[in-house]
Amino acid sequence: MDVLYFAWVRERIGLPKEQVATDAATVADLVEELKAREDRYAAAFADTTALRVAVDQTLAGFDAPLAGAREVAFFPPMTGG
């Protein structure tokens, strides 16, 4: 699946997008897999309360299932103005 990183998440990981082979059942499981890869991922996902996630371009929670998903995006909360 494609995993996309935006704003400071992208800056900490150093990539805007990557292909990830995963058996993760949920977004939270995927985050744990990514955090175990390298310190830069652990730093980016240290506080998931500061992150939002979209699965196949639909806002989701970290408990969202990944079965059949093609894309997951991580980004900080947005504010309007």
Side-chain angles (χ1 to χ4, degrees), residues 49-61:
T49 63
L51 286 174
R52 298 297 176 262
V53 63
V55 176
D56 290 335
Q57 300 185 7
T58 300
L59 286 175

Side-chain angles (χ1 to χ4, degrees), residues 8 12 31 35 41-49 51:
W8 58 260
R12 290 183 186 169
V31 167
K35 284 169 62 175
Y41 291 93
F45 293 109
D47 181 10
T48 56
T49 63
L51 286 174

